[in-house]
Amino acid sequence: LTTYHNTALYRYIHTLPKDSMLLGHPWDTNEIPTLSQRKVFVEYELALPHYKKFYEQIRARLFSFFRIYYSGSIIEIKQFCQKNKIDYILVNKKYFSDEFLKKRKIFIEPFNGEAIYFAEKNKKNGFALAHITHQKRIYDDGKYFIIKVSDL
């Protein structure tokens, strides 16, 4: 764990219950299964179409992920997480910043267009995950924070 730039984050995730499932941006969750031995809902490596049937499931997950990540509704997020047995949400604050969103490169295609759509649709009223209070954050290092779905 010492060679990765998010060592403290990976160490913290490793302390979560072993059967935990995390939801987070695919660019941020890629190393979690290896370095923290915890399951993730989506990750970047799985977004690449290696096996058709498997990719169909991952594709559906990725499209639904961006709808939820950029949602304006805590209720919608919680219901989605309960349905998909997600225990924790990893939030990278930069993905909600004006600077990041102006670049219009939220993820790779064919998912980027859909991600941009949900980000633009909900930006005006605010992204629910971007406004989680500090009291509900079980981990916060200034860049990332983690929330427990049952605390929403």
Side-chain angles (χ1 to χ4, degrees):
L1 290 177
T2 58
T3 60
Y4 287 86
H5 61 281
N6 296 322
T7 303
L9 173 65
Y10 298 137
R11 285 179 196 239
Y12 180 80
I13 292 170
H14 185 74
T15 69
L16 299 175
K18 289 190 182 296
D19 61 346
S20 297
M21 169 83 77
L22 280 88
L23 178 74
H25 194 290
W27 284 332
D28 295 328
T29 57
N30 210 43
E31 284 88 19
I32 291 172
T34 302
L35 299 177
S36 300
Q37 291 86 49
R38 298 301 178 267
K39 297 177 289 187
V40 295
F41 186 71
V42 291
E43 62 178 90
Y44 171 71
E45 291 295 324
L46 296 179
L48 307 173
H50 299 295
Y51 302 100
K52 186 176 179 175
K53 292 224 182 248
F54 180 70
Y55 179 69
E56 289 170 2
Q57 293 174 345
I58 297 304
R59 180 181 168 98
R61 280 187 175 198
L62 281 160
F63 281 125
S64 64
F65 163 77
F66 287 110
R67 177 178 55 83
I68 291 304
Y69 201 67
Y70 288 107
S71 174
S73 168
I74 287 291
I75 293 168
E76 180 183 29
I77 293 167
K78 189 168 186 171
Q79 288 173 343
F80 175 85
C81 289
Q82 289 169 337
K83 176 184 172 196
N84 290 284
K85 297 179 174 52
I86 295 164
D87 305 293
Y88 299 92
I89 302 173
L90 171 64
V91 178
N92 184 332
K93 297 173 189 177
K94 100 173 169 182
Y95 296 138
F96 298 100
S97 72
D98 287 336
E99 181 182 342
F100 178 80
L101 294 172
K102 281 181 190 174
K103 294 177 186 175
R104 300 178 59 83
K105 182 67 175 150
I106 295 174
F107 197 51
I108 61 173
E109 290 299 351
F111 310 103
N112 191 55
E114 191 88 355
I116 290 169
Y117 168 78
F118 286 114
E120 289 178 350
K121 175 184 169 196
N122 294 313
K123 184 178 179 187
K124 182 180 178 185
N125 294 323
F127 305 117
L129 290 176
H131 299 292
I132 298 293
T133 63
H134 289 278
Q135 295 85 353
K136 293 195 182 218
R137 299 175 186 187
I138 60 172
Y139 173 89
D140 192 338
D141 65 12
K143 179 179 178 180
Y144 297 99
F145 65 86
I146 298 174
I147 54 175
K148 190 173 183 179
V149 172
S150 63
D151 291 344
L152 290 177

